[in-house]
Amino acid sequence: MNIVDLRSDTVTKPTPEMREAMAHAEVGDDVYGEDPNVNMLQEAAADKMGKEAGLFVPSGTMGNLIAVLVHCQRGDEAIMGDKGHTFSFEAGGISALGGVFPHTLPNQADGTLRIDDILGAIRPDDVHHPVSKLVILENTQNRCGGVVLSKEYSNEVAKLAHHHDMKLHVDGARIFNASVALNINVKEFVKEADSVTFCLSKGLCAPVGSVLCGSREFIGKARRMRKMLGGGMRQAGVLAAAGLVALDSMVDRLAEDHRRASELAQGLGKLTGIHFEMGLPQTNMVFPSLRAEVNGNAAEIVKKLATEGVKVSAVAERRLRLVTHAWVDDAAVQQTLNAFKKVLA
Ligand code: TLP
């Protein structure tokens, strides 16, 4: 049986072109700054993001952690969404390792944090309070449905942060999905942001790695922090070579993933047991909810779908997540719809 893996776009494997580039990559010791592919990737990434410099890091989690540790001191406060990856899925690293205090605000259905909520969360200068140092936005916002935050909104939040002597970090793990969905140059989304992390290892299919981008000064500090966290990699050019292929050739095709996510949603929407409380997909994520009439919760449906060769995630008692990516073709979409029909019948 063909296995369709829709649990995440993190399951993507390197393409043949990436394997080829990896096999022949010239390498050096990146802790000495001597790996040519890592250097090329960092420059290409910074250029794409419109920032002065980039730093290759092993994961999106480490990229976000380093950004927070550079922007904040121990005891400082970072404002972020309660559905954000940094708050929910990074093992509390900013607090455990950085002593940084998370101040969560409710993510709205469109993935944003209300401007008034942000303003209300910024602390006055008073010895009773932690110092508000950072705002974090996520684009696309994963747990709000893979929704896209507009460039106008992101830049407004950056200006607001700067006005209060704070910084903005964008967790842009899937910022290229946002850029492709709105057909806007990726730079526009992070023009005013102080730092951005984006992932090579999700929809772009590279095996490992993310790039943190920002000013030269910020990246200088980030480099020391990466070393402190044990993320200084040596001959990482074999990974960066795949990352360069990802940046060059895997961005535009994300539109296909978005089309298939829409097709999945349309097909699933025809089944009486399914509804879309969180709205229809804007990018590569589909979040179907199970109506009351469906027997079994999301975890049980996940198990039944697996017997049909379809892997999806349960993200709430009655909600699933399906993520499309380069390894999900039209036949896989059809197999998934058939599996749902059978399991929900
Ligand atoms: N997200 C994963 C899981 O950790 C939930 C997924 O399957 O979606 N920012 C965002 C917005 C992410 O979605 C993720 C991964 C990360 C950061 C972390 O990236 P990695 O896995 O490289 O540490």
Side-chain angles (χ1 to χ4, degrees), residues 7-10 58-64 84-86 89-90 138-143 171-174 197 199 201-202 209-210 285 313 321 323:
R7 288 172 302 167
S8 182
D9 46 9
T10 59
S59 66
T61 300
M62 192 187 280
N64 289 337
H85 198 272
T86 300
F89 300 106
E90 295 177 10
E138 188 177 307
N139 202 2
T140 62
Q141 215 302 341
N142 184 340
R143 287 303 166 108
D171 175 356
R174 298 183 181 83
T197 311
C199 295
S201 62
K202 300 192 167 58
S210 295
M285 295 190 181
S313 310
R321 184 182 78 158
V323 186

Side-chain angles (χ1 to χ4, degrees), residues 42-103:
Q42 291 175 165
E43 274 171 36
D47 184 52
K48 290 236 185 258
M49 296 292 145
K51 300 293 170 202
E52 286 175 1
L55 185 71
F56 187 44
V57 290
S59 66
T61 300
M62 192 187 280
N64 289 337
L65 176 61
I66 292 173
V68 175
L69 297 184
V70 173
H71 289 307
C72 301
Q73 302 293 309
R74 295 189 76 79
D76 286 345
E77 193 169 60
I79 296 170
M80 65 194 78
D82 59 356
K83 294 198 176 70
H85 198 272
T86 300
F87 180 63
S88 295
F89 300 106
E90 295 177 10
I94 61 164
S95 300
L97 304 172
V100 176
F101 201 47
H103 188 151

Side-chain angles (χ1 to χ4, degrees), residues 108-128:
Q108 304 300 302
D110 65 359
T112 61
L113 308 178
R114 277 200 200 106
I115 297 291
D116 281 351
D117 286 352
I118 300 176
L119 283 170
I122 298 173
R123 310 277 188 171
D125 184 11
D126 179 315
V127 288
H128 293 87

Side-chain angles (χ1 to χ4, degrees), residues 25 38 72 77 104 134 164 193 198 203-204 259 264 275 277 286 297 325 344:
V38 171
C72 301
E77 193 169 60
T104 55
L134 180 67
H164 290 86
F198 74 89
L204 303 186
R259 170 179 63 79
L264 271 173
H275 65 134
E277 282 170 297
V286 190
N297 62 12
H325 50 75
L344 298 180

